[in-house]
Amino acid sequence: MTSEEYEHVIDELQTVIDETQATLKRFEKTGMNDDMPGDYETLLAILDDAVKQQREYTQAMLD
């Protein structure tokens, strides 16, 4: 991959991270994390996976 391609993937993952964090905040603010714990856990897993992938792509770009 080129440096630009790595940066594009990293930026797209940042969008996923930002949007997932915003959704998590809305869940918590409205109490949906208690009403829909399975969906809340899924959002946490999506966030965790996106952060891990972003870290991997960043490291690969720097190598």
Side-chain angles (χ1 to χ4, degrees), residues 31-48:
M32 289 174 60
N33 54 317
D34 294 326
D35 295 336
M36 302 172 69
D39 291 339
Y40 186 73
E41 289 297 320
T42 299
L43 286 168
L44 290 173
I46 291 168
L47 179 61
D48 184 56

Side-chain angles (χ1 to χ4, degrees), residues 9-54:
V9 171
I10 291 166
D11 290 343
E12 290 296 322
L13 286 165
Q14 187 61 50
T15 299
V16 171
I17 291 167
D18 293 343
E19 290 177 359
T20 304
Q21 286 176 328
T23 303
L24 284 165
K25 285 180 185 177
R26 284 195 305 273
F27 255 65
E28 293 164 356
K29 187 176 181 179
T30 61
M32 289 174 60
N33 54 317
D34 294 326
D35 295 336
M36 302 172 69
D39 291 339
Y40 186 73
E41 289 297 320
T42 299
L43 286 168
L44 290 173
I46 291 168
L47 179 61
D48 184 56
D49 188 47
V51 169
K52 286 178 183 175
Q53 287 184 49
Q54 188 183 51

